[in-house]
Amino acid sequence: MFNARIGIDIGNGYVKYKGKVFKTRVKTGKVLKVGHIRDDVHTVKMNGLDFIVGDGEMVTGEDKYDNIRFKLCVLTAIADANKRFKNLKVKLCLGMPLLDKERLEDEVTQKILSWGEQSLIVDDREVTIEIVDVDIFIEGALPILTEDTGHILTLDIGSGTVNAIEWEGMTPINFDTLKGSFYKMYSDMATYLNNTKGGNFTVADVEKLVLKGKKETIIKQVMTDISEIYMIMDDFVSGSASLLKQKFNTEQVEKIQLLGGGATPSFDYWVKHFPHAYVELVPNSQFINSEIYEMVANM
């Protein structure tokens, strides 16, 4: 029935699958084939139209499931992960926050199945894709993957939200989604640098600096101290930690596990704001959700 099984983590910032990643962005047009071709941007032709997947407009919000950009992100990831096949029958697993899963699971599943057989050209390769089975799993379900039966708080730190789940015996006992946004934090950092240092930074520029842990960068041909931007990150984590302490039993969990794309750059700040807890950075934190979904797809 299937010749491909795949788990895809479609976040507000990035699409992650099988160790690969591209931005959750789509725009119409073609990639100019000049110089080095980026492997995180894909050219797609579907229904006679040309698209660039991995650049352009963001794909966010609950209405994204009705948006062709969401469909393009899903189909592009499937095609890129299965280059050996021209005709694909796919079992797919996607993730949702626990708060959304019960409410949206059936509706989103039916929408994806209704796509039927789709013919498209991805990076100059013709492919036909039919998604014939869909699983929706919860984001941040790390204890399911690790079979950890302890009392754990998992924090999935994404571009648009922080999804928190308290686990005991591999069962969720409390959960919430904080609307704090890593993307907004990067935007605030860019605004700060542009206003105080005379720069011309975009959100993407700041994200690159933070992911590399940079405290200095070139502005107007001068190496400039930008360490103040990390106060904005401290404010973000402080506010999120305060909300979590109100909602969850943070002082009695055995450990707090951080995953998601924002986990690594913010790890030290979470340790600071939970001084009495054991805070753990999950290995391969950016791809851990897609690994969980891959496991579910192969069940």
Side-chain angles (χ1 to χ4, degrees), residues 17 19-23 31 36-43 53-54 76 80 83 123:
Y17 56 101
K20 297 185 174 186
V21 61
F22 58 81
K23 288 185 177 180
V31 175
H36 174 69
I37 304 299
R38 292 165 52 190
D39 58 8
D40 60 348
V41 174
H42 301 276
T43 60
V53 177
T76 299
D80 187 51
K83 294 182 178 179
D123 298 328

Side-chain angles (χ1 to χ4, degrees), residues 10 42 44 56 59 75 100 127 140 148 156 161 185 188 199 236-237 242 252-253 259 261 274 280 295:
I10 302 186
H42 301 276
V44 179
V59 183
L75 296 177
D100 295 336
V127 61
D148 192 328
D156 185 354
T161 58
M185 182 195 74
D188 291 343
F236 168 80
V237 174
S242 178
Q252 289 184 255
V253 294
L259 60 146
F274 287 105
E280 176 185 45
M295 176 187 72

Side-chain angles (χ1 to χ4, degrees), residues 110-127:
Q110 292 308 312
K111 284 180 180 177
I112 293 173
L113 292 174
S114 73
W115 295 349
E117 188 174 274
Q118 298 286 315
S119 297
L120 59 161
I121 301 172
V122 180
D123 298 328
D124 298 323
R125 185 174 64 91
E126 294 185 16
V127 61

Side-chain angles (χ1 to χ4, degrees), residues 271-284:
V271 172
K272 171 185 172 182
H273 290 286
F274 287 105
H276 304 298
Y278 172 57
V279 182
E280 176 185 45
L281 178 62
V282 175
N284 202 27

Side-chain angles (χ1 to χ4, degrees), residues 89-279:
K89 302 286 186 181
V90 181
K91 181 178 181 182
L92 170 68
C93 181
L94 299 177
M96 286 185 185
L98 191 52
L99 280 170
D100 295 336
K101 182 178 182 296
E102 294 180 3
R103 184 168 52 88
L104 297 174
E105 178 177 10
D106 290 342
E107 178 185 351
V108 172
T109 296
Q110 292 308 312
K111 284 180 180 177
I112 293 173
L113 292 174
S114 73
W115 295 349
E117 188 174 274
Q118 298 286 315
S119 297
L120 59 161
I121 301 172
V122 180
D123 298 328
D124 298 323
R125 185 174 64 91
E126 294 185 16
V127 61
T128 299
I129 298 172
E130 183 180 6
I131 300 170
V132 295
D133 193 8
V134 178
D135 282 319
I136 305 293
F137 206 62
I138 58 174
E139 295 177 355
L142 183 63
I144 304 297
L145 179 67
T146 59
E147 299 183 347
D148 192 328
T149 60
H151 186 192
I152 304 162
L153 178 63
T154 57
L155 303 181
D156 185 354
I157 306 163
S159 296
T161 58
V162 176
N163 290 313
I165 306 178
E166 187 175 351
W167 299 82
E168 198 160 19
M170 294 171 58
T171 300
I173 60 173
N174 196 5
F175 52 89
D176 200 5
T177 296
L178 309 185
K179 297 303 182 183
S181 166
F182 233 64
Y183 183 87
K184 183 180 184 303
M185 182 195 74
Y186 286 139
S187 178
D188 291 343
M189 288 177 172
T191 298
Y192 175 84
L193 289 177
N194 294 339
N195 289 343
T196 63
K197 306 291 184 179
N200 189 27
F201 291 90
T202 65
V203 170
D205 295 332
V206 172
E207 181 181 20
K208 290 177 184 176
L209 291 170
V210 170
L211 291 178
K212 293 178 180 178
K214 294 288 188 180
K215 302 292 180 69
E216 295 181 323
T217 193
I218 298 290
I219 300 178
K220 296 182 178 179
Q221 287 73 56
V222 177
M223 184 61 73
T224 305
D225 181 2
I226 60 167
S227 59
E228 306 101 295
I229 65 172
Y230 291 93
M231 294 175 63
I232 298 173
M233 180 178 288
D234 188 55
D235 290 342
F236 168 80
V237 174
S238 176
S240 298
S242 178
L243 292 173
L244 291 167
K245 288 172 184 177
Q246 296 174 41
K247 177 75 176 182
F248 296 93
N249 196 0
T250 58
E251 298 203 356
Q252 289 184 255
V253 294
E254 296 169 25
K255 55 188 170 183
I256 298 172
Q257 294 182 310
L258 305 183
L259 60 146
T264 298
S266 63
F267 174 72
D268 289 342
Y269 299 93
W270 291 102
V271 172
K272 171 185 172 182
H273 290 286
F274 287 105
H276 304 298
Y278 172 57
V279 182

Side-chain angles (χ1 to χ4, degrees), residues 8-28:
I8 306 176
D9 178 13
I10 302 186
N12 290 307
Y14 292 90
V15 177
K16 290 143 284 188
Y17 56 101
K18 293 187 181 292
K20 297 185 174 186
V21 61
F22 58 81
K23 288 185 177 180
T24 315
R25 293 172 177 264
V26 178
K27 66 180 180 181
T28 56

